[in-house]
PDB file of all heavy atoms in Angstrom:
ATOM      1  N   LYS A  33     -14.411   4.216  -7.496  1.00  0.00           N
ATOM      2  CA  LYS A  33     -12.979   4.492  -7.291  1.00  0.00           C
ATOM      3  C   LYS A  33     -12.629   4.476  -5.809  1.00  0.00           C
ATOM      4  O   LYS A  33     -11.552   4.009  -5.417  1.00  0.00           O
ATOM      5  CB  LYS A  33     -12.618   5.837  -7.924  1.00  0.00           C
ATOM      6  CG  LYS A  33     -12.696   5.829  -9.444  1.00  0.00           C
ATOM      7  CD  LYS A  33     -12.235   7.135 -10.030  1.00  0.00           C
ATOM      8  CE  LYS A  33     -12.464   7.159 -11.542  1.00  0.00           C
ATOM      9  NZ  LYS A  33     -11.730   6.091 -12.236  1.00  0.00           N
ATOM     10  N   ALA A  53       5.938  -8.636  10.512  1.00  0.00           N
ATOM     11  CA  ALA A  53       6.188  -9.763  11.418  1.00  0.00           C
ATOM     12  C   ALA A  53       7.385 -10.577  10.949  1.00  0.00           C
ATOM     13  O   ALA A  53       8.215 -11.019  11.763  1.00  0.00           O
ATOM     14  CB  ALA A  53       4.944 -10.649  11.507  1.00  0.00           C
ATOM     15  N   ARG A  90       4.008 -10.515  -5.810  1.00  0.00           N
ATOM     16  CA  ARG A  90       4.474  -9.232  -6.338  1.00  0.00           C
ATOM     17  C   ARG A  90       3.535  -8.688  -7.405  1.00  0.00           C
ATOM     18  O   ARG A  90       3.255  -7.479  -7.442  1.00  0.00           O
ATOM     19  CB  ARG A  90       5.883  -9.390  -6.908  1.00  0.00           C
ATOM     20  CG  ARG A  90       6.963  -9.575  -5.855  1.00  0.00           C
ATOM     21  CD  ARG A  90       8.240 -10.095  -6.449  1.00  0.00           C
ATOM     22  NE  ARG A  90       9.271 -10.324  -5.433  1.00  0.00           N
ATOM     23  CZ  ARG A  90      10.375 -11.026  -5.638  1.00  0.00           C
ATOM     24  NH1 ARG A  90      10.593 -11.590  -6.829  1.00  0.00           N
ATOM     25  NH2 ARG A  90      11.247 -11.189  -4.665  1.00  0.00           N
ATOM     26  N   THR A 128      -7.542  19.570   6.167  1.00  0.00           N
ATOM     27  CA  THR A 128      -6.348  19.856   5.377  1.00  0.00           C
ATOM     28  C   THR A 128      -5.215  18.907   5.743  1.00  0.00           C
ATOM     29  O   THR A 128      -4.517  18.387   4.872  1.00  0.00           O
ATOM     30  CB  THR A 128      -5.901  21.309   5.611  1.00  0.00           C
ATOM     31  OG1 THR A 128      -6.965  22.182   5.252  1.00  0.00           O
ATOM     32  CG2 THR A 128      -4.687  21.631   4.757  1.00  0.00           C
ATOM     33  N   ALA A 142       5.187   5.976  -2.425  1.00  0.00           N
ATOM     34  CA  ALA A 142       5.372   5.443  -3.783  1.00  0.00           C
ATOM     35  C   ALA A 142       6.851   5.497  -4.181  1.00  0.00           C
ATOM     36  O   ALA A 142       7.389   4.536  -4.753  1.00  0.00           O
ATOM     37  CB  ALA A 142       4.524   6.230  -4.774  1.00  0.00           C
ATOM     38  N   GLN A 168      22.634  -9.958   5.941  1.00  0.00           N
ATOM     39  CA  GLN A 168      23.823  -9.133   5.750  1.00  0.00           C
ATOM     40  C   GLN A 168      23.512  -7.873   4.956  1.00  0.00           C
ATOM     41  O   GLN A 168      24.076  -6.799   5.221  1.00  0.00           O
ATOM     42  CB  GLN A 168      24.916  -9.953   5.058  1.00  0.00           C
ATOM     43  CG  GLN A 168      25.530 -11.054   5.907  1.00  0.00           C
ATOM     44  CD  GLN A 168      24.638 -12.289   6.072  1.00  0.00           C
ATOM     45  OE1 GLN A 168      23.607 -12.409   5.407  1.00  0.00           O
ATOM     46  NE2 GLN A 168      25.028 -13.199   6.940  1.00  0.00           N
ATOM     47  N   VAL A 170      20.597  -6.249   4.901  1.00  0.00           N
ATOM     48  CA  VAL A 170      19.853  -5.331   5.767  1.00  0.00           C
ATOM     49  C   VAL A 170      20.797  -4.615   6.724  1.00  0.00           C
ATOM     50  O   VAL A 170      20.712  -3.395   6.919  1.00  0.00           O
ATOM     51  CB  VAL A 170      18.760  -6.100   6.554  1.00  0.00           C
ATOM     52  CG1 VAL A 170      18.154  -5.200   7.634  1.00  0.00           C
ATOM     53  CG2 VAL A 170      17.672  -6.592   5.616  1.00  0.00           C
ATOM     54  N   ASN A 213     -17.537   4.235  15.792  1.00  0.00           N
ATOM     55  CA  ASN A 213     -16.489   5.213  15.475  1.00  0.00           C
ATOM     56  C   ASN A 213     -15.284   5.116  16.410  1.00  0.00           C
ATOM     57  O   ASN A 213     -14.134   5.115  15.963  1.00  0.00           O
ATOM     58  CB  ASN A 213     -17.059   6.637  15.522  1.00  0.00           C
ATOM     59  CG  ASN A 213     -17.838   6.976  14.258  1.00  0.00           C
ATOM     60  OD1 ASN A 213     -17.771   6.257  13.265  1.00  0.00           O
ATOM     61  ND2 ASN A 213     -18.589   8.066  14.311  1.00  0.00           N
ATOM     62  N   LYS A 217     -11.474   4.023  15.311  1.00  0.00           N
ATOM     63  CA  LYS A 217     -10.355   4.943  15.523  1.00  0.00           C
ATOM     64  C   LYS A 217      -9.277   4.289  16.384  1.00  0.00           C
ATOM     65  O   LYS A 217      -8.084   4.477  16.150  1.00  0.00           O
ATOM     66  CB  LYS A 217     -10.853   6.229  16.182  1.00  0.00           C
ATOM     67  CG  LYS A 217     -11.597   7.152  15.230  1.00  0.00           C
ATOM     68  CD  LYS A 217     -11.954   8.463  15.904  1.00  0.00           C
ATOM     69  CE  LYS A 217     -12.652   9.402  14.924  1.00  0.00           C
ATOM     70  NZ  LYS A 217     -13.009  10.699  15.538  1.00  0.00           N
TER      71      LYS A 217
END
Side-chain angles (χ1 to χ4, degrees):
K33 292 184 186 300
R90 288 164 182 166
T128 302
Q168 290 76 9
V170 170
N213 281 348
K217 285 185 178 180

